[in-house]
Amino acid sequence: MTERVVLAYSGGLDTSVGIGWIAEATGAEVIAVAVDVGQGGEDLEVIRRRALDCGAVEAYVADARDEFAAEYCMPALRANGLYLDKYPLVSALSRPVIVKHLVRAARQFGATTVAHGCTGKGNDQVRFEVGITSLAPDLKCLAPVRDLALTRDKAIEFAERKKLPIATTKHNPFSIDQNVWGRAVETGFLEDIWNEPTKDVYTYTDDPTFPPVADEVVIRFEQGVPVALDGVPVTPLQAIQEMNRRAGAQGVGRIDIVEDRLVGIKSREVYEAPGAMALIAAHQELENVTVEREQARFKRQVEQRWTELVYDGQWFSPLKKSLDTFIDDTQRYVSGEIRMVLHGGRATVTGRRSETSLYDFNLATYDSGDTFDQSAARGFIEIYGLSSKLAAARDVKFGNAEDLGQQGGIGGTDAEGTGA
């Protein structure tokens, strides 16, 4: 029986050539799998037809946009997933949903190997292969660019020799990966980290230097998930798409970062994620209103570890699943509305309201109606500072007291402030 290989197929030059390249190098039949995660571009049927014309024995296509938004982007939103506090995991989030469809196709068509178009120096090879073996430990993995020496020059030559129905002359100076959650751009002149991104780098966002009139939006969340914009019900996919449009028009969500790749190198990346960044900012503020202090402090530690796991290709790992359970529990009361102004590259929260809020006006106010018992503060401070006070007294006793020195000038403090 002839071996079968499932290939993650984009419709571009490298993966189109990969169909015939794999067949010639291994003797296997190739099944092309294309997954729509909101990257735009060509219709899935066009891509399916091209895969067959390039020699695939089967072509599996899937519209996974709603699945991606609901089952991958929303967990990232609830986790406030920002790698290095900046990058909203645009590419990392799409890999596990693509992997799931690759494995599904492998089972459906009886394939023993799954192939992808990644190089040997990026994160995605890890994400694909760890994801595949986490779902199907029996499957083998193959990367033609890495394992079968499929360079771009060889790909162009192969496509022209075989007369494949794919353009070979147009060469984009950038490497681009995009989906509904955002857009990632690298290589070309961006590899010199002193070079400023030029206007042609951006597609999802308009120039924030010359913004249109400010745009105010009210986002309603239920248990950490956006369910309405300005009172109009939305699905997760619709929420992301509409916020991409509105925040993108204001230049929100441009990110230029040198990040730590999993493989050990630093890489300069430019991202656009207008909807993701605006939604995360709104969600974080609603959490400030609804999540208890100690729970919120610990969640920030969990968020960082969760984000690192997803970035490192561990979406299906036991630890990530356990952290999901904690995050799900924290979202029980994260419901309410956030009012936000989008303008000039900024998404600024201007109002918040929630029936599950922990904010008590009567406790917070300094005006009449204050219900906070200030007389309790003295005893609280005495007990809270007791261990430090005892340690300081010991330092004084043994000659290790803090050296206050001699400072010139006059200092002062504002005794009226809240100390916040």
Side-chain angles (χ1 to χ4, degrees), residues 194-230:
W194 186 253
N195 287 339
E196 180 180 359
T198 51
K199 291 182 178 180
D200 60 328
V201 169
Y202 300 106
T203 298
Y204 281 16
T205 57
D206 293 333
D207 188 347
T209 309
F210 305 102
V213 64
D215 182 8
E216 183 179 272
V217 59
V218 175
I219 307 168
R220 171 143 195 94
F221 290 85
E222 288 184 8
Q223 296 190 347
V225 173
V227 296
L229 299 177
D230 293 327

Side-chain angles (χ1 to χ4, degrees), residues 116-133:
H116 57 81
C118 304
T119 69
K121 63 188 295 184
N123 297 314
D124 282 336
Q125 58 177 336
V126 181
R127 294 166 181 161
F128 275 115
E129 296 184 27
V130 170
I132 289 162
T133 55

Side-chain angles (χ1 to χ4, degrees), residues 300-313:
R300 282 190 281 275
Q301 298 176 46
V302 172
E303 288 172 357
Q304 180 174 337
R305 192 71 190 100
W306 188 95
T307 300
E308 290 168 349
L309 287 168
V310 174
Y311 184 88
D312 292 348

Side-chain angles (χ1 to χ4, degrees), residues 283-300:
H283 178 262
Q284 287 175 323
E285 185 60 23
L286 187 57
E287 283 193 327
N288 287 344
V289 174
T290 57
V291 179
E292 184 272 332
R293 185 185 70 165
E294 294 303 320
Q295 189 182 37
R297 285 180 172 180
F298 191 75
K299 182 173 184 284
R300 282 190 281 275

Side-chain angles (χ1 to χ4, degrees), residues 6 102-111 135-139:
V6 161
L102 290 171
V103 172
R104 186 176 296 162
R107 297 304 191 215
Q108 179 179 334
F109 295 107
L135 294 180
D138 58 300
L139 291 178

Side-chain angles (χ1 to χ4, degrees), residues 165-293:
I166 183 75
T168 60
T169 55
K170 184 178 179 181
H171 177 61
N172 192 316
F174 306 119
S175 173
I176 298 172
D177 180 63
Q178 60 191 40
N179 56 56
V180 73
W181 197 236
R183 183 169 178 269
V185 186
E186 62 179 14
T187 72
F189 74 88
L190 294 174
E191 290 178 343
D192 183 338
I193 60 176
W194 186 253
N195 287 339
E196 180 180 359
T198 51
K199 291 182 178 180
D200 60 328
V201 169
Y202 300 106
T203 298
Y204 281 16
T205 57
D206 293 333
D207 188 347
T209 309
F210 305 102
V213 64
D215 182 8
E216 183 179 272
V217 59
V218 175
I219 307 168
R220 171 143 195 94
F221 290 85
E222 288 184 8
Q223 296 190 347
V225 173
V227 296
L229 299 177
D230 293 327
V232 179
V234 289
T235 66
L237 178 61
Q238 289 168 339
I240 300 167
Q241 289 173 327
E242 180 65 5
M243 290 303 293
N244 274 341
R245 184 185 69 80
R246 293 173 66 169
Q250 294 286 346
V252 173
R254 290 187 174 187
I255 304 153
D256 185 349
I257 180 176
V258 175
E259 71 186 44
D260 292 313
R261 283 189 180 176
L262 174 58
V263 295
I265 64 175
K266 289 186 181 289
S267 174
R268 199 272 188 88
E269 310 281 344
V270 173
Y271 298 106
E272 295 179 278
M277 296 305 290
L279 287 169
I280 289 173
H283 178 262
Q284 287 175 323
E285 185 60 23
L286 187 57
E287 283 193 327
N288 287 344
V289 174
T290 57
V291 179
E292 184 272 332
R293 185 185 70 165

